[in-house]
């Protein structure tokens, strides 16, 4: 069974940067489509960015130009580089993978990102 482990969250001032990492177990990581989601208190979980197995990327409008998703298949890791952070980016960030379906069916435990004003 594939496991996803996020790291890199923390407390940062507005305008600062963080890089989240998501390490995956399994030998077929390169074939997975991966995504980063976030959930702020009282809000629904939302897609932040995604990357396909062949490297195509998408970032949602509110983070476009500030966040970048990437992957290193040799390290079984997907990254989310977050620049120019804003207080409204505060949330628990989750890594997810499409393993056995067209939906995100495998999730990490989440990592807290807090941006202070």
């Amino acid at each position: 069974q594939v496991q996803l482990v996020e790291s890199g969250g923390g407390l940062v001032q507005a305008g600062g940067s963080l890089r989240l990492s998501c390490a995956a177990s399994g030998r077929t990581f390169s074939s997975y489509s991966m995504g980063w989601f976030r959930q702020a208190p009282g809000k629904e979980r939302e897609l932040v960015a995604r990357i396909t197995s062949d490297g195509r990327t998408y970032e949602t409008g509110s983070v476009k130009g500030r966040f970048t998703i990437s992957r290193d298949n040799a390290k079984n890791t997907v990254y989310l580089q977050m620049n120019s952070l804003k207080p409204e980016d505060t949330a628990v960030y989750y890594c997810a993978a499409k393993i056995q379906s067209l939906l995100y069916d495998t999730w990490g435990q989440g990592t807290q990102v807090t941006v202070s004003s």
Side-chain angles (χ1 to χ4, degrees):
Q1 185 173 354
V2 175
Q3 291 187 324
L4 304 176
V5 179
E6 301 101 331
S7 61
L11 173 64
V12 64
Q13 289 188 332
S17 298
L18 284 173
R19 187 176 79 157
L20 304 183
S21 299
C22 172
S25 62
R27 292 174 290 180
T28 57
F29 172 79
S30 61
S31 68
Y32 308 153
S33 287
M34 304 292 297
W36 283 100
F37 291 75
R38 68 185 179 187
Q39 187 166 20
K43 296 188 177 181
E44 293 187 353
R45 188 175 299 186
E46 64 172 348
L47 175 68
V48 176
R50 62 175 185 253
I51 186 166
T52 63
S53 58
D54 59 356
R56 287 173 291 145
T57 62
Y58 164 85
E59 289 89 15
T60 195
S62 61
V63 307
K64 199 170 183 63
R66 300 188 297 122
F67 292 11
T68 302
I69 189 171
S70 63
R71 66 191 301 159
D72 185 338
N73 291 333
K75 296 183 178 180
N76 279 18
T77 301
V78 63
Y79 303 98
L80 185 68
Q81 178 66 43
M82 305 186 295
N83 299 327
S84 302
L85 282 160
K86 304 175 180 180
E88 51 263 44
D89 294 318
T90 295
V92 177
Y93 283 71
Y94 298 90
C95 172
K98 297 180 181 179
I99 305 296
Q100 296 181 326
S101 72
L102 297 179
L103 302 176
Y104 290 100
D105 53 12
T106 301
W107 294 81
Q109 82 287 353
T111 186
Q112 177 70 48
V113 171
T114 303
V115 185
S116 63
S117 57

